[in-house]
Amino acid sequence: LFVGFNSAFSYTDTRKLNDRTISVPFIFTDIQVEDKMVSAINASGVILQSHENTLIVEYAALDYSRPEKIQYAYWIEQSGVDTQWNFTSQRSLTFTNLGAGDYTLHVKVRGPNGAMSKEELRLTIKVMPKFYETWWFWTLVIVVVSGILYLFYTIRKEQQTRLEKMRD
């Protein structure tokens, strides 16, 4: 493409215009735990209590040229276990009944030009364990059971000593 103007001209090779790989910016737009909204602005982590079973994460690519061509890739990491990227055109993910532990959600976007973004959004998710899954609960159970066994042992020992006194 040649464009001329006062004592100069400009030249552009139009075949190279489609080869541009511009990364599409994207953000978390909404994070919802059960029925409560969590601020998605600068969101880096979410904590779910043991009774909270539903987490909804919404995100959006900030490119409006061809929204039907935009795809999202995500995977969720649990304690260092890697899985593969899952692709979707939906702008939200719903997680239900996550087990207790630490998770990291990774999200990337593939723009309308087909280029995958180099940067990714990360959201750490911590699901608190139920009370009976904690170390202190099991410690308490062991202490109580040990106390009951010791009580039975001392009662039985007292009965045996009384019985021996009666025999003597």
Side-chain angles (χ1 to χ4, degrees):
L1 174 66
F2 291 94
V3 178
F5 45 95
N6 288 345
S7 69
F9 71 93
S10 175
Y11 164 74
T12 303
D13 188 356
T14 58
R15 293 173 293 191
K16 294 183 179 177
L17 289 178
N18 289 335
D19 293 342
R20 295 181 306 157
T21 56
I22 298 173
S23 181
V24 175
F26 60 108
I27 58 170
F28 287 124
T29 57
D30 190 23
I31 299 171
Q32 185 175 344
V33 176
E34 293 292 326
D35 294 332
K36 299 179 296 190
M37 300 298 236
V38 177
S39 174
I41 298 172
N42 297 327
S44 61
V46 176
I47 298 176
L48 276 73
Q49 298 303 318
S50 60
H51 64 277
E52 296 173 327
N53 296 322
T54 306
L55 172 67
I56 300 172
V57 179
E58 294 181 1
Y59 41 83
L62 305 176
D63 184 292
Y64 307 107
S65 61
R66 292 180 289 176
E68 69 279 358
K69 296 261 186 190
I70 294 177
Q71 278 196 321
Y72 301 94
Y74 70 93
W75 68 281
I76 189 159
E77 173 186 0
Q78 179 185 13
S79 302
V81 176
D82 292 341
T83 59
Q84 62 184 1
W85 288 97
N86 300 303
F87 290 90
T88 181
S89 58
Q90 295 180 348
R91 292 187 15 214
S92 70
L93 296 170
T94 302
F95 300 100
T96 57
N97 297 323
L98 289 173
D102 297 324
Y103 301 87
T104 304
L105 174 65
H106 302 264
V107 181
K108 282 186 169 188
V109 66
R110 178 181 289 159
N113 57 2
M116 184 65 82
S117 64
K118 290 183 176 70
E119 65 275 349
E120 66 180 37
L121 293 178
R122 289 187 180 148
L123 179 68
T124 58
I125 304 164
K126 182 175 181 75
V127 181
M128 301 304 288
K130 293 180 174 35
F131 75 92
Y132 55 82
E133 297 174 333
T134 59
W135 67 268
W136 58 264
F137 174 78
W138 288 106
T139 303
L140 183 64
V141 166
I142 290 171
V143 167
V144 168
V145 168
S146 298
I148 290 172
L149 290 174
Y150 182 73
L151 180 67
F152 283 139
Y153 171 76
T154 56
I155 290 173
R156 179 74 177 141
K157 189 130 177 130
E158 282 182 22
Q159 286 177 346
Q160 286 178 344
T161 56
R162 270 193 259 139
L163 187 61
E164 285 180 18
K165 283 183 183 179
M166 282 178 57
R167 288 185 184 160
D168 288 341

